Amino acid sequence: MKLTILAALVASSAAFTLKVPDVAKAAAATAAVTAGVAISPAFAGDVGAGEQVFNANCAACHAGGQNVIMPEKTLEKDALDSYLAGGRNEKAVMTQVTNGKNAMPAFGGRLSDEDIANVATYVIATSEAGWDE
C-alpha cells in the first residue's frame, strides 16, 4: 500500500512546482511496477464529457472507434499510432479535431476548446481501453 501511495505521489508530482529528483521518480516507478501497480497517464480533459461530445459530433463517422470514410484510419490504438500526425496523444487529437484533415472537417469554431480537449481525452482513453463495437 505504501508503494502504491508513493508511486501515485511521484507520478503526479510533475503537476506541481516541487521537483522530485529523477532518481526518486525512477525508484518509485520501479517500485510501482514491482508491486504490480499501473501508473496511468493524467488526462487534460474529462472523459465523461468527452464521450458526450463524441456521441453528438463524431460518432456518425467514428462509431465504435471506426472510420466509415477511410476504414483503415480508425481510432484504434495501433491506427492512431500509425496515422495520427504527432502520434497517439491528446495534443495530436486536439489538433486534428480543431483543424480537420482530408475528409474530416474542422471542428474548431464549432466546438469550444474545452469540448475539443474533452473529446481528445475520451478518444485516447478509449483507444487505450479498447473500443466497444
Side-chain angles (χ1 to χ4, degrees):
M1 182 65 179
K2 289 179 183 178
L3 289 176
T4 302
I5 294 170
L6 176 63
L9 288 173
V10 171
S12 64
S13 69
F16 301 98
T17 56
L18 174 67
K19 295 293 181 187
V20 176
D22 290 338
V23 174
K25 288 181 184 177
T30 301
V33 170
T34 302
V37 176
I39 301 174
S40 62
F43 292 119
D46 180 288
V47 175
E51 182 177 15
Q52 291 177 346
V53 173
F54 183 89
N55 289 336
N57 296 278
C58 312
C61 294
H62 293 292
Q66 299 305 301
N67 185 328
V68 299
I69 306 298
M70 301 178 88
E72 71 280 4
K73 294 186 176 182
T74 69
L75 301 179
E76 301 286 345
K77 185 176 179 179
D78 291 341
L80 291 175
D81 282 331
S82 297
Y83 297 115
L84 188 62
R88 185 179 49 83
N89 60 71
E90 287 181 61
K91 183 178 178 187
V93 173
M94 289 172 63
T95 298
Q96 182 136 340
V97 171
T98 300
N99 301 321
K101 186 175 179 182
N102 299 325
M104 182 174 162
F107 285 87
R110 293 187 205 183
L111 297 175
S112 69
D113 290 345
E114 181 179 10
D115 284 344
I116 292 172
N118 289 341
V119 81
T121 297
Y122 172 72
V123 166
I124 295 300
T126 309
S127 74
E128 278 291 323
W131 292 86
D132 292 331
E133 297 298 324

